[in-house]
Amino acid sequence: MYTVENAMKNAPAGSLSRQNPDETWDVVIVGSGFTGMAAAIEAAKAGAKTLVIEKMPTAGGNSIIDEGMLSVVLSPQQKKRHIKDSSSLLADDMLQNGEFLNDREKVTFIADESSKLYDWTVEELGIEWLPVVTWAGGHSVPRTLTVKTGSGREIYEKCYERVKALNVEIRCRTYVEQIDRDADGAHGVFVREGYDFPDSSSGNPRYIRAEKGIVLAYGGFAADPDYRAQFDEMLRDYDTTNQPGATGELWRETERIGCMQIEAGRIQCTPWSNPREKGMGRAWLFADYVGADAGLWVNTAGERFVNELGNRKSSAEAVLDQHRAGLRALAIGNALSKERLDKIRPGYLDEILALGLIDRYETLADIEKDWIIPEGRLVATLKRYNGHVKKKKDPDFFRPIQCHEMLIDGPWYVAEMMPKVHHSMGGLYTDCDARCIDASTAEVIPHLFAAGECAGGVHGACRMGSCAILDCLVMGRVAGSRAAAGVKA
């Protein structure tokens, strides 16, 4: 059991203490991405004096490089296309793809909130969504919406504007060294202000007290090779889609103060990232989209190797299997792919082509020659695939192709695929009120909340595409409102 004496024993040296804080707020939010912004909005609306702290020089984290895709049940876009969907079907998809390692209650809650969240983004934030709905990997039906500008930055900036309008302070270059927690709960954070990433000794030590609650929204650790390697050594040398600040120091700190953690070793890699660019980049969307709607994935033996609409876990493992066999994995689209992509990302394909991230070919034979694919093999694969499309059934990999069209006319476009470390699916064990749980007592830790990627239980073994923003915004709003209310148990 934690006591004041034991908790303060390991506190940073100096006169810093909760009895003599440098400053006091009602709610302190650690992290400034989607989750942190959603929490800040709800906390401030509830009347709480709210501070958001961010260790990096600029706010936003991974959210400002997100592509802005959101899973929504019964959206106007679905209704227009007469797509039958329900929150229970979304929850079932999340549970099945998560191999039932998810928290069923939390998954059901988030799925039930998806329609309300859509209304909130439109009515409160003023976000505009494209009129189309797409099919993301692992989903039973098309339910993925894309922000009109084609970038998650749009969602983030709308959240940021709302937060500032509510007089919330966002303080960057503020690094959390330790969380002040004892048997009575969480009380504040020891920080270094003026922090220079990644120097943990930089900045000025301060103590910030939180009277009502602390919301942890610090995200995952995909950019921390040492931390992720303790779960899977093979991942140490992989590139990541994340921004550099996605590191594991607060994963270590929350473990130190006794927070229950679950499934921390469940680390998701993308299947469709592009080896010609660092980080998340831009070309991944081409491979992802052709796999979902208009195109196919093949190896350099000229053969399909996976259900292109499978979840990220199975797809990434299939790509890695090709590498182990000495083959490369390719996403192939054609004129139809470009036509479809231009509707949701006008000019996108031309831009990544100009950047040299994908290649253009007049014929399938040209692709075979350039990628050293056995002559005629790719042609045979396309012929077989088109036969499946004509019959609306894929007996090879059971890809849903009822709405697909045959791939016939060039020009053809090709992108190589290379997995990158993407998402931390485990994390802090929380309930549906976003309250953290003590590892030794299994009781709620008063005044300590967590949501978003740092919290586990939502995605299980595999996060489906377009469910991250749903999780972050739904649970971020819950965490902020509960923290502002001073919810304990």
Side-chain angles (χ1 to χ4, degrees):
M1 177 68 69
Y2 277 79
T3 65
V4 174
E5 290 76 15
N6 287 336
M8 299 302 288
K9 185 187 302 181
N10 295 319
S15 60
L16 306 178
S17 73
R18 77 176 67 128
Q19 289 76 25
N20 297 291
D22 291 286
E23 54 188 305
T24 300
W25 298 76
D26 291 331
V27 174
V28 175
I29 299 169
V30 181
S32 66
F34 288 139
T35 305
M37 292 293 101
I41 289 170
E42 296 304 320
K45 284 171 60 180
K49 181 184 176 187
T50 304
L51 171 68
V52 176
I53 57 178
E54 166 61 51
K55 71 181 180 184
M56 300 302 281
T58 57
N62 283 330
S63 299
I64 58 175
I65 57 174
D66 183 89
E67 286 290 329
M69 296 178 176
L70 176 68
S71 290
V72 179
V73 169
L74 301 178
S75 66
Q77 292 86 335
Q78 275 190 325
K79 292 175 182 177
K80 186 175 181 180
R81 289 184 58 182
H82 308 290
I83 296 170
K84 294 182 180 180
D85 199 5
S86 66
S87 59
S88 61
L89 183 58
L90 171 57
D92 286 346
D93 286 347
M94 293 175 71
L95 290 166
Q96 289 180 31
N97 282 276
E99 299 177 7
F100 297 94
L101 295 172
N102 334 51
D103 182 326
R104 182 180 292 272
E105 184 180 5
K106 193 183 293 184
V107 168
T108 300
F109 173 76
I110 290 173
D112 286 344
E113 289 291 311
S114 73
S115 294
K116 298 175 188 175
L117 180 70
Y118 173 83
D119 292 338
W120 181 77
T121 65
V122 173
E123 296 167 7
E124 179 148 352
L125 301 182
I127 292 171
E128 295 183 70
W129 299 92
L130 287 170
V132 297
V133 57
T134 56
W135 204 330
H139 292 264
S140 294
V141 297
R143 60 167 69 98
T144 297
L145 305 185
T146 304
V147 70
K148 194 172 183 179
T149 60
S151 171
R153 180 182 287 271
E154 169 75 6
I155 302 174
Y156 183 78
E157 289 177 349
K158 293 290 187 181
C159 287
Y160 187 92
E161 290 169 7
R162 185 73 178 116
V163 164
K164 298 304 288 185
L166 290 166
N167 296 315
V168 172
E169 181 177 342
I170 302 173
R171 190 178 300 170
C172 294
R173 296 182 62 204
T174 302
Y175 174 82
V176 175
E177 282 194 292
Q178 291 189 2
I179 299 166
D180 177 13
R181 181 257 160 134
D182 62 21
D184 296 322
H187 304 279
V189 287
F190 294 93
V191 304
R192 285 183 174 271
E193 291 191 354
Y195 164 74
D196 290 321
F197 176 82
D199 181 3
S200 60
S201 66
S202 61
N204 300 313
R206 290 172 63 83
Y207 180 86
I208 303 174
R209 183 171 173 82
E211 290 284 355
K212 293 187 174 182
I214 298 169
V215 176
L216 302 176
Y218 50 78
F221 56 83
D224 192 328
D226 290 337
Y227 193 76
R228 69 196 191 208
Q230 71 180 354
F231 301 109
D232 188 342
E233 181 63 34
M234 187 178 74
L235 298 181
R236 181 185 296 277
D237 297 324
Y238 275 47
D239 192 10
T240 177
T241 62
N242 286 204
Q243 52 88 24
T247 49
E249 65 275 357
L250 284 176
W251 288 69
R252 296 181 177 91
E253 172 60 10
T254 48
E255 187 172 22
R256 183 192 71 82
I257 66 169
C259 292
M260 187 181 294
Q261 308 249 6
I262 58 172
E263 302 291 344
R266 298 284 178 176
I267 302 168
Q268 183 177 80
C269 291
T270 60
W272 26 245
S273 293
N274 192 304
R276 296 184 185 179
E277 56 186 345
K278 298 291 290 182
M280 187 71 183
R282 302 194 62 210
W284 70 269
L285 180 61
F286 169 79
D288 186 35
Y289 185 77
V290 300
D293 197 49
L296 73 168
W297 295 350
V298 301
N299 57 29
T300 44
E303 300 170 343
R304 292 175 67 208
F305 56 88
V306 71
N307 171 4
E308 294 91 339
L309 255 179
N311 64 44
R312 292 175 177 178
K313 182 173 183 289
S314 60
S315 297
E317 288 173 352
V319 172
L320 290 172
D321 284 343
Q322 306 314 303
H323 293 169
R324 295 184 187 105
L327 301 169
R328 297 158 83 179
L330 309 175
I332 297 181
N334 70 339
L336 175 64
S337 312
K338 185 178 189 305
E339 178 186 330
R340 297 278 184 83
L341 265 172
D342 280 344
K343 290 181 180 178
I344 61 171
R345 292 285 199 281
Y348 163 78
L349 194 144
D350 292 326
E351 291 172 10
I352 61 171
L353 186 63
L355 290 170
L357 299 175
I358 65 171
D359 299 316
R360 181 182 185 277
Y361 301 90
E362 292 302 321
T363 68
L364 294 174
D366 291 337
I367 298 175
E368 291 177 338
K369 182 178 180 180
D370 199 29
W371 290 91
I372 317 177
I373 296 171
E375 185 177 352
R377 191 74 60 80
L378 187 58
V379 174
T381 295
L382 261 293
K383 182 178 179 180
R384 181 174 177 82
Y385 173 77
N386 284 333
H388 297 338
V389 172
K390 191 173 182 178
K391 295 178 181 179
K392 304 298 182 186
K393 187 176 182 180
D394 177 14
D396 294 336
F397 295 100
F398 306 101
R399 176 185 181 183
I401 55 176
Q402 297 90 335
C403 300
H404 287 202
E405 296 180 33
M406 291 189 286
L407 304 173
I408 298 175
D409 298 322
W412 299 87
Y413 303 91
V414 177
E416 186 174 0
M417 300 190 294
M418 174 71 73
K420 295 181 182 181
V421 183
H422 185 55
H423 191 89
S424 308
M425 291 170 295
L428 296 165
Y429 180 62
T430 61
D431 61 13
C432 285
D433 283 318
R435 299 176 296 185
C436 293
I437 308 298
D438 184 272
S440 59
T441 66
E443 299 292 333
V444 167
I445 300 174
H447 310 295
L448 189 62
F449 304 83
E453 193 176 351
C454 72
V458 176
H459 306 294
C462 178
R463 176 176 71 77
M464 297 194 303
S466 70
C467 285
I469 296 178
L470 176 65
D471 171 24
C472 290
L473 294 182
V474 168
M475 293 309 299
R477 293 181 68 200
V478 170
S481 63
R482 300 302 190 272
V487 173
K488 297 181 183 179

